[in-house]
Amino acid sequence: MNDFPWLSWLIFFPLISAALIAVLPGTSGRTVKTLAAVCSIAEFLFSLPLWWRYQPGQPGWQFAEQHAWLPGLGATYHVGIDGIATLLVLLTTLLTPIVVFGAFGSVEKREREFYALLLAMEAAMIGTFLSLDLLLFYVFWEAMLVPMYLLIGVWGGPRRVYAAVKFFLYTMAGSVLMLVAILWLYLHQRAVTGIPTFALDAFYALPLSGAEQTWLFLAFAFAFAIKVPMFPFHTWLPDAHVEAPTAGSVILAAVLLKMGTFGYVRFAMPIFPAASAAFTPWIVALALIGILYGALVAMVQRDLKKLVAYSSVSHLGFCMLGLYALNAQGMAGGMMTMLNHGVSTGALFLLVGVIYERRHTREIAEFGGLWKVMPVYASIFLVVMLSSIGLPGTNGFVGEFLVLLGAFRHEPWWAIVAGLGVILSAVYMLWMFMRVFFGPLTHAANEKLADLTLRERLVFAPLLILIFWMGVYPQPLLDRAQPTLDRTVALVKQRLMMGDRITRGDVARPGVSVAEAAR
Amino acid sequence: MLALIPALPLAAVAVNLILGDRLGRRGTAFLACGAVFASFVLAALSVIHLASLPPGARTMVADVYTWMRVGDFKVDVAFLLDPLSSVMVLVVTGVGFLIHLYSVGYMAHDASFRRFFLYLNLFMFAMLTLVLAKNFLVMFVGWEGVGLCSYLLIGFWMDRPSAARAGMKAFVVNRIGDFGFLLGMLTLFAWTGSLDYERVFAAAPIVFHPGTLAITFATLALLLGATGKSAQIPLYTWLPDAMEGPTPVSALIHAATMVTAGVYMVARCHILFTMAPFSLETVAVIGAATALFAATIGVAQNDIKRVLAYSTVSQLGYMFFACGVGAFGAGIFHLMTHAFFKALLFLGAGSVIHALSGEQDMRKMGGLASRLPWTHGVMLVACVAIAGIPPFAGFFSKDEILSAAFASGHYGVWVAGLLGAVLTAFYMFRLYFLTFRGSSRLTHEAEHHLHESPAVMVAPLVVLAALSVVGGFVGLPFQEGGRRLTTLEGGAALERWLAPVFGEGGAAGASHAVPHLSFTTEWALIAVSVAAAAFGIAMASRAYAKAAGEPIAEKAPRLYGLLEHKYWIDELYDTIAVRPIRALGDVLWRFWDEKIVDGTVNGVAYVVEWASAVLRVFQTGFVGTYALFLTLGVAALIAHYLVR
């Protein structure tokens, strides 16, 4: 079994499933659902060996596979995992079946296409996490766009087309720049070494001048910042979330946004360490603004989904802050925050979806006193909310605290500013919770709302388990990620020590240097 | 075994959740009270074991597992029982058990009986985690955990909008404090490399220079946390509103246990505070100011529970300034006696409210002494105890605090405390006279249903009354030189018990000892404080024993109005903080997000659209087509470079 191409299987199994669902003739909605559920659970089971057999202590990529792809270009099909990718892939494979089950009650039209797209989406996301070749990475990165664009544009709300186009163009704007940067890197690499390759490892070792780093970093950082999303590139997010169907929102929040932060750790920071270090104040400033800004704007939202969407901006700000603290605790906190946000915000979007299915509105003012009619729903909402605001004992706290610890060690005032976000998160969440669940039942339409069905409870059960497990015993997760994070930190610091520094003069003549390199 | 003390109530929570309504009311009550009683027994056994050890070795540790280990940061889930936490754990489990028992009667007719005990047990778990923690992070788990339970229990009757709002206010204000706690922890870790008490306190004198910015910042941040949890200026506003919760909750959480967590934390960190004189002074000033300030408000409240709430804020102020003047032992002593008599006051008030079918307005009470004999008796004991009349519990602890303030030269603080003591006696006996004496002002309806509480409620009252009478004897503090002036058994038992934690002298950290007073001064101070209490009682008796109206309101309406409206502090906070922040959120969203950012984005889109009008041929309106062109362009680019 050791030679079994696990990773390829993980990428292509959902793709095959999607194709199967799409082409199987004459199947009923029921069969489609069953098939989607079975395939997504199978995929999760297939991904489990990553948890058991990944060896954190060993350096280098594990489960690696490499095959020729475009020999003329030097691009190869090269996939492998490290600690970060392991956890993010598991997050993806775990959430997909949850999303599939969650969608059973809400998707009524074009079910076949819907589930096929979800699974195709899963394949693209996993591929993105696993790629060790920049061209391959870019193919998967762009491939993710299409299913999500369709999920929003076809199954979304009233302004779905606007939201879908906005999402598409925003992301596209970023990724085109990144593509240019990738190509530039490729050509530069070929010019320097004479070997055409898109291999990530080669780029890790590629020396770049200060100016080169600066411009290339900016191109990557821009693409990732849109995806994260960092303030002020976040305005596509609320629209996309509000219009997306529940399944789309969950995938978008839980996994797609992580592509941005993942991109920083995997590419932007280690390939351009000097530029990354030089821009740290800017990135941290944006992260801190994002933390407070997201929270403040979330506070005044009237739509539940928009509130959760803006809370994402705040949480991802924490994530970026942790990563850019560039020390063990900060990185680990950033990593935990990625996972936590996937679990908690994913769960929040599912919860909002539950109430939307019943009432066809997400206006906070339309609710009030729901605890009385839906006590189980309210209790689950409470737990998820607490995890989102980082109550100790839940997953949220572990990430938040480690981020603050890392940030404080790097620069105390970072943690002080970010800490204010901890207060604000309680404000916006509890205020929303109060208006939705407490008080008297003020709307007649809410009096007969049904509490969660068995299916819905089963959807939330794994998420609740994760919330507590990751909060009470996060060590297995930390152990898996830590060596990789440490290596990233070491790589960046090592290159910085080797004189990889940016001076003002470097950046002042970018045109010259880029032109030189192109020659 | 130590870990079981908090774990048992948690297990009860789990059982409660799993079995659900199958438990039935009896089952629920038995489970909830049984778990807490078991914790109490375990705690008592542990403390007995602790006492059998030699004083210097009185610590018990239970290391359960490693919670987080990242780089050089490592935190274990670990518990510690030492003399300080032993006082806390006994108070929490003991008073907690009595209040659980009382609640069985008080909540008997409530539809959400099971949910109530679920929260109550969860609270016990969190509170015991807080006091038994071996490091700051585990303490923080309990710290935020009790905040959560407080939130849930204040808002227990959730269909009342005022209860829901009060719960939220409590949580948010506490979060402001928690922000301080977090910053304090971060600073301590950054300097000492650990969050474990033992290591932090051992490293502190080496890594911090006394009075430097770092240690002052760390302690002030922790103090912010303490003011949040213990309802001190400036974060006290949530506690009076917290009275929206069921009365047993007010007794347990908002009087006897949770709100004392801040005092416990400051006492636990006494080594750090004594290294930061500015912080310690701040503790004293905040405590004294709160003690006096809250007492004045308490004078003009008509809701029986609100009087007690302000009284709690005020009494917590005493505990704070005890710590602030270096008398940490005295602070803990008052914490303990206060737990007895304030729990009793709240439960007694609850008994009155229960008897009057939910009435809390003292203007609609009066003359209940003969109708509720048991309640009346225990309430009188509690009022005397809190007023500070010897030999009741409150006298010993309050007097010890005042003497320490005087002895350490904090005369301003001492005067504030003394004035507070007059007011305490006054508002407590105002409450007593308005409720139990005079003529009945009950509504006909209330009169009809009037009844003394059932035995399950009265029994805990009697136990607490007994403790309020004798609870002070453990801390008989009078001494001059080495000669004890009392022959009562135990002597200054509490002081000696706490000595291994706070250092010799009990009352103070080694570097901040409170000087001993002369025999005459000591007795003069006692005379003054007893006189103050007696004066307050006499004034209350004159004004309210046969009151028909509100004498203060008649003689000084403006002052009364100011007090009744709590100095308009809530309104002030609303104006300077709550509204501006909300407005800021609105502006950011409506203006920045929707106008500036989206305006720019859409503006770019319009420009592109206009430009594309020129290139109408290529525009098909499908994003897919755009993507196609984009891809083609990129391909061309690649091709160009490859061919070249």
Side-chain angles (χ1 to χ4, degrees):
Chain A
M1 276 305 260
N2 279 340
D3 296 332
F4 186 78
W6 275 116
L7 300 186
S8 294
W9 182 243
L10 283 177
I11 296 173
F12 290 104
F13 176 74
L15 207 57
I16 297 167
S17 311
L20 204 65
I21 290 173
V23 301
L24 263 188
T27 40
S28 67
R30 208 183 165 75
T31 325
V32 166
K33 283 178 185 171
T34 317
L35 204 57
V38 169
C39 292
S40 58
I41 290 176
E43 171 78 358
F44 173 62
L45 296 177
F46 293 141
S47 70
L48 284 178
L50 264 53
W51 176 260
W52 305 117
R53 302 206 353 234
Y54 174 74
Q55 285 163 351
Q58 278 185 11
W61 309 107
Q62 298 185 26
F63 288 80
E65 295 168 39
Q66 189 163 17
H67 305 284
W69 177 32
L70 300 170
L73 284 171
T76 59
Y77 172 85
H78 188 191
V79 291
I81 55 169
D82 57 5
I84 306 168
T86 304
L87 296 178
L88 288 172
V89 167
L90 283 164
L91 178 73
T92 312
T93 58
L94 178 85
L95 278 166
T96 307
I98 290 177
V99 164
V100 167
F101 271 102
F104 279 4
S106 59
V107 176
E108 278 138 16
K109 63 173 182 181
R110 295 173 175 268
E111 288 177 302
R112 180 200 290 267
E113 288 86 345
F114 180 85
Y115 293 106
L117 280 173
L118 268 186
L119 288 166
M121 183 80 208
E122 184 179 19
M125 293 186 297
I126 292 176
T128 313
F129 288 132
L130 297 180
S131 301
L132 300 179
D133 179 286
L134 253 67
L135 198 63
L136 186 66
F137 163 76
Y138 190 76
V139 168
F140 282 123
W141 173 274
E142 290 294 280
M144 289 188 303
L145 269 183
V146 181
M148 186 47 79
Y149 167 72
L150 291 172
L151 282 174
I152 299 174
V154 177
W155 289 270
R159 291 174 73 228
R160 56 181 180 266
V161 175
Y162 170 76
V165 172
K166 196 173 178 182
F167 162 76
F168 196 97
L169 292 183
Y170 243 112
T171 323
M172 201 68 190
S175 35
V176 167
L177 275 181
M178 181 168 72
L179 178 62
V180 173
I182 291 177
L183 293 177
W184 195 97
L185 269 177
Y186 166 75
L187 294 171
H188 182 73
Q189 161 85 18
R190 201 182 58 175
V192 171
T193 62
I195 307 160
T197 177
F198 283 96
L200 183 57
D201 287 324
F203 293 123
Y204 279 170
L206 183 67
L208 294 167
S209 78
E212 289 161 352
Q213 286 207 25
T214 304
W215 292 100
L216 293 168
F217 173 79
L218 282 178
F220 273 81
F222 182 61
F224 296 141
I226 287 175
K227 207 84 171 179
V228 166
M230 290 181 72
F231 176 90
F233 310 111
H234 64 276
T235 60
W236 64 271
L237 186 77
D239 283 318
H241 269 311
V242 168
E243 300 306 324
T246 301
S249 287
V250 176
I251 293 289
L252 189 60
V255 188
L256 274 199
L257 303 189
K258 306 304 140 27
M259 296 297 172
T261 44
F262 170 76
Y264 277 98
V265 190
R266 185 53 92 61
F267 303 102
M269 293 165 81
I271 303 184
F272 321 109
S276 181
F279 280 97
T280 296
W282 294 92
I283 290 187
V284 167
L286 292 183
L288 291 175
I289 293 174
I291 290 173
L292 299 183
Y293 183 91
L296 283 169
V297 178
M299 191 170 63
V300 294
Q301 295 307 310
R302 286 145 206 190
D303 181 299
L304 280 171
K305 235 179 171 181
K306 261 195 170 168
L307 188 150
V308 180
Y310 275 108
S311 82
S312 288
V313 176
S314 193
H315 282 268
L316 271 296
F318 264 103
C319 201
M320 290 303 295
L321 176 67
L323 297 179
Y324 267 85
L326 210 66
N327 52 34
Q329 291 87 22
M331 292 285 260
M335 183 68 217
M336 279 304 285
T337 307
M338 286 191 219
L339 303 175
N340 293 338
H341 180 262
V343 172
S344 308
T345 307
L348 277 175
F349 277 121
L350 283 167
L351 285 162
V352 174
V354 164
I355 198 68
Y356 183 74
E357 276 170 37
R358 285 164 171 67
R359 280 283 271 109
H360 297 288
T361 179
R362 289 181 301 254
E363 284 285 311
I364 294 173
E366 286 289 315
F367 302 110
L370 286 196
W371 191 303
K372 263 195 188 153
V373 280
M374 306 174 74
V376 176
Y377 175 68
S379 310
I380 293 177
F381 207 120
L382 177 72
V383 173
V384 174
M385 173 186 83
L386 293 172
S387 117
S388 176
I389 67 175
L391 195 88
T394 66
N395 56 350
F397 177 69
V398 177
E400 214 169 74
F401 184 77
L402 288 172
V403 167
L404 288 174
L405 196 62
F408 190 91
R409 291 184 116 182
H410 197 289
E411 193 71 67
W413 69 265
W414 292 358
I416 297 175
V417 175
L420 293 172
V422 175
I423 303 175
L424 289 175
S425 73
V427 176
Y428 67 74
M429 275 295 177
L430 291 182
W431 192 36
M432 176 274 285
F433 194 79
M434 180 179 89
R435 286 178 293 163
V436 173
F437 292 100
F438 292 159
L441 266 171
T442 39
H443 294 268
N446 295 330
E447 276 163 20
K448 296 224 168 60
L449 288 177
D451 209 341
L452 296 188
T453 62
L454 184 64
R455 173 183 64 82
E456 287 165 334
R457 289 178 200 206
L458 287 177
V459 166
F460 289 110
L463 294 171
L464 293 180
I465 292 171
L466 276 179
I467 282 173
F468 288 116
W469 172 49
M470 290 163 74
V472 173
Y473 189 52
Q475 202 57 43
L477 296 161
L478 294 171
D479 283 343
R480 276 174 176 72
Q482 203 58 44
T484 307
L485 296 171
D486 287 345
R487 274 198 293 277
T488 307
V489 174
L491 187 68
V492 171
K493 293 208 164 146
Q494 184 194 0
R495 287 187 64 172
L496 285 177
M497 295 232 300
M498 280 158 54
D500 224 354
R501 283 280 152 77
I502 289 189
T503 57
R504 220 163 254 283
D506 285 341
V507 195
R509 300 175 287 108
V512 182
S513 145
V514 171
E516 275 166 10
R519 227 175 286 132
Chain B
M1 187 163 88
L2 224 44
L4 274 181
I5 298 175
L8 283 172
L10 186 65
V13 169
V15 173
N16 185 323
L17 271 176
I18 292 164
L19 290 184
D21 290 326
R22 267 164 287 178
L23 269 171
R25 284 189 180 233
R26 284 184 81 87
T28 305
F30 190 75
L31 173 72
C33 298
V36 177
F37 185 71
S39 285
F40 173 67
V41 171
L42 274 181
L45 290 174
S46 307
V47 175
I48 290 169
H49 175 68
L50 197 70
S52 72
L53 301 170
R58 279 184 189 150
T59 52
M60 288 164 68
V61 171
D63 221 324
V64 187
Y65 69 95
T66 298
W67 185 13
M68 294 179 223
R69 187 181 53 240
V70 177
D72 57 351
F73 170 74
K74 177 171 176 289
V75 169
D76 290 347
V77 171
F79 300 100
L80 163 78
L81 188 74
D82 67 352
L84 176 58
S85 53
S86 73
V87 174
M88 295 300 293
V89 79
L90 286 179
V91 168
V92 171
T93 53
V95 176
F97 170 66
L98 292 174
I99 294 173
H100 270 69
L101 208 59
Y102 175 95
S103 305
V104 174
Y106 191 85
M107 300 300 287
H109 306 294
D110 199 281
S112 303
F113 190 77
R114 188 169 68 83
R115 186 162 57 89
F116 182 79
F117 281 99
L118 184 79
Y119 292 166
L120 221 52
N121 274 355
L122 190 63
F123 169 78
M124 290 304 285
F125 158 71
M127 189 69 208
L128 289 168
T129 306
L130 195 164
V131 298
L132 284 173
K134 190 178 177 291
N135 57 56
F136 283 97
L137 211 62
V138 173
M139 187 201 230
F140 193 67
V141 174
W143 189 269
E144 286 233 310
V146 290
L148 166 69
C149 298
S150 165
Y151 161 74
L152 293 171
L153 283 162
I154 294 169
F156 182 74
W157 287 311
M158 52 180 68
D159 35 356
R160 284 191 203 164
S162 58
R165 265 198 307 277
M168 180 183 156
K169 183 175 175 184
F171 196 98
V172 170
V173 173
N174 265 292
R175 266 260 157 154
I176 299 174
D178 296 352
F179 164 70
F181 194 134
L182 270 173
L183 291 183
M185 278 199 289
L186 296 177
T187 317
L188 289 178
F189 179 77
W191 261 263
T192 66
S194 179
L195 285 177
D196 186 271
Y197 295 152
E198 204 184 326
R199 291 183 178 208
V200 170
F201 298 145
I206 302 160
V207 296
F208 292 113
H209 290 289
T212 50
L213 182 65
I215 184 72
T216 307
F217 177 78
T219 44
L220 285 180
L222 289 174
L223 176 62
L224 179 66
T227 57
K229 196 64 72 197
S230 290
Q232 297 295 292
I233 294 171
L235 298 181
Y236 69 95
T237 52
W238 65 272
L239 185 60
D241 288 8
M243 297 301 120
E244 288 287 345
T247 305
V249 171
S250 312
L252 177 62
I253 301 184
H254 306 120
T257 57
M258 182 187 85
V259 288
T260 63
V263 182
Y264 167 72
M265 188 251 270
V266 172
R268 175 59 79 192
C269 301
H270 70 278
I271 293 179
L272 305 176
F273 277 91
T274 43
M275 287 175 66
F278 177 76
S279 306
L280 203 59
E281 280 305 307
T282 312
V283 175
V285 171
I286 284 181
T290 310
L292 184 58
F293 176 80
T296 60
I297 300 177
V299 166
Q301 299 301 309
N302 289 315
D303 182 317
I304 187 168
K305 286 181 71 181
R306 282 197 174 247
V307 176
L308 295 178
Y310 280 105
S311 161
T312 305
V313 175
S314 170
Q315 296 300 310
L316 290 163
Y318 280 96
M319 299 173 211
F320 266 81
F321 86 65
C323 294
V325 301
F328 297 99
I332 294 298
F333 183 24
H334 196 57
L335 185 161
M336 186 188 84
T337 59
H338 176 257
F340 300 149
F341 58 70
K342 188 50 70 63
L344 177 55
L345 281 168
F346 267 112
L347 295 185
S351 180
V352 170
I353 295 165
H354 195 69
L356 299 181
S357 320
E359 184 56 70
Q360 295 187 195
D361 192 333
M362 295 191 299
R363 286 170 298 194
K364 293 179 188 159
M365 297 179 184
L368 293 175
S370 56
R371 312 292 298 273
L372 308 172
W374 282 99
T375 307
H376 167 246
V378 298
M379 281 293 268
L380 185 58
V381 168
C383 287
V384 175
I386 189 175
I389 300 294
F392 291 80
F395 160 74
F396 293 102
S397 51
K398 196 184 285 178
D399 181 70
E400 190 172 325
I401 292 173
L402 289 174
S403 326
F406 190 87
S408 61
H410 293 79
Y411 299 115
V413 168
W414 177 75
V415 170
L418 204 62
L419 283 175
V422 176
L423 289 170
T424 305
F426 180 79
Y427 68 65
M428 282 321 304
F429 276 84
R430 173 175 175 269
L431 179 150
Y432 170 76
F433 286 117
L434 285 178
T435 311
F436 293 105
R437 296 288 171 174
S439 53
S440 169
R441 297 179 297 280
L442 269 59
T443 59
H444 185 70
E445 177 73 12
E447 189 87 46
H448 185 67
H449 291 290
L450 191 63
H451 60 280
E452 178 63 287
S453 298
V456 70
M457 286 166 69
V458 171
L461 292 178
V462 173
V463 177
L464 284 169
L467 287 169
S468 302
V469 177
V470 303
F473 298 163
V474 297
L476 281 171
F478 322 147
Q479 49 183 310
E480 194 216 355
R483 190 167 72 90
R484 293 197 187 289
L485 295 175
T486 168
T487 53
L488 277 169
E489 201 180 347
L494 187 70
E495 210 167 288
R496 275 192 283 112
W497 176 246
L498 291 174
V501 181
F502 296 132
E504 271 313 315
S511 57
H512 198 87
V514 176
H516 284 295
L517 293 164
S518 75
F519 180 83
T520 352
T521 324
E522 181 101 50
W523 280 101
L525 287 176
I526 288 171
V528 171
S529 63
V530 173
F535 177 66
I537 296 174
M539 291 294 287
S541 161
R542 239 188 87 169
Y544 295 100
K546 298 185 193 77
E550 177 57 72
I552 312 178
E554 286 156 17
K555 290 199 180 122
R558 283 224 176 140
L559 176 68
Y560 186 80
L562 184 67
L563 297 180
E564 193 185 12
H565 289 103
K566 309 163 284 185
Y567 299 96
W568 307 97
I569 297 290
D570 274 316
E571 288 76 8
L572 178 73
Y573 283 2
D574 199 48
T575 317
I576 62 168
V578 179
R579 280 160 203 266
I581 289 176
R582 200 173 289 172
L584 178 63
D586 255 321
V587 168
L588 290 178
W589 176 36
R590 292 295 190 194
F591 182 71
W592 176 262
D593 251 35
E594 298 203 332
K595 294 280 184 309
I596 306 286
V597 178
D598 267 4
T600 313
V601 171
N602 290 338
V604 171
Y606 290 135
V607 172
V608 171
E609 199 175 10
W610 172 80
S612 71
V614 186
L615 306 164
R616 185 66 70 185
V617 230
F618 300 106
Q619 194 197 17
T620 58
F622 293 107
V623 173
T625 316
Y626 299 152
L628 178 69
F629 280 119
L630 212 55
T631 319
L632 284 179
V634 168
L637 207 65
I638 300 176
H640 169 76
Y641 279 119
L642 288 180
V643 172
R644 204 172 47 105

